[in-house]
Amino acid sequence: MERWYDDPWILFDTETTGVDPVTARIWELGLLLTGPDEHVGYSILANPGIGISDEVATICEISGADRVAIAAARPFSEDA
């Protein structure tokens, strides 16, 4: 019998500007494809259009250079 944790999995993660679901916006999307012999990760930054709280910056260990990269990223509001 095959073990469930030997199957491939896709893990999805988001990072947001805060903890309030009404006002917080996503600034990073992350995906991880994992299996018994391979792990492939991917992430993309998005300009949330608002600042990232100091609390989130501390938790996510965001540097000043990271804030510049996030601000320069493509906004979610742009068409693909």
Side-chain angles (χ1 to χ4, degrees):
M1 174 183 259
E2 192 172 313
R3 300 174 297 198
W4 66 268
Y5 49 84
D6 287 335
D7 291 336
W9 286 79
I10 296 176
L11 306 170
F12 180 74
D13 181 44
T14 59
E15 300 297 343
T16 62
T17 58
V19 296
D20 183 345
V22 174
T23 60
R25 296 187 183 169
I26 295 172
W27 59 268
E28 183 178 28
L29 299 170
L31 295 169
L32 176 66
L33 172 60
T34 184
D37 300 320
E38 186 176 17
H39 305 289
V40 178
Y42 179 76
S43 72
I44 187 168
L45 296 177
N47 182 333
I50 61 173
I52 297 173
S53 71
D54 290 337
E55 177 185 21
V56 169
T58 299
I59 292 168
C60 296
E61 299 179 358
I62 298 173
S63 68
D66 294 332
R67 286 183 189 250
V68 171
I70 293 165
R74 183 178 177 170
F76 267 93
S77 61
E78 286 187 9
D79 293 331

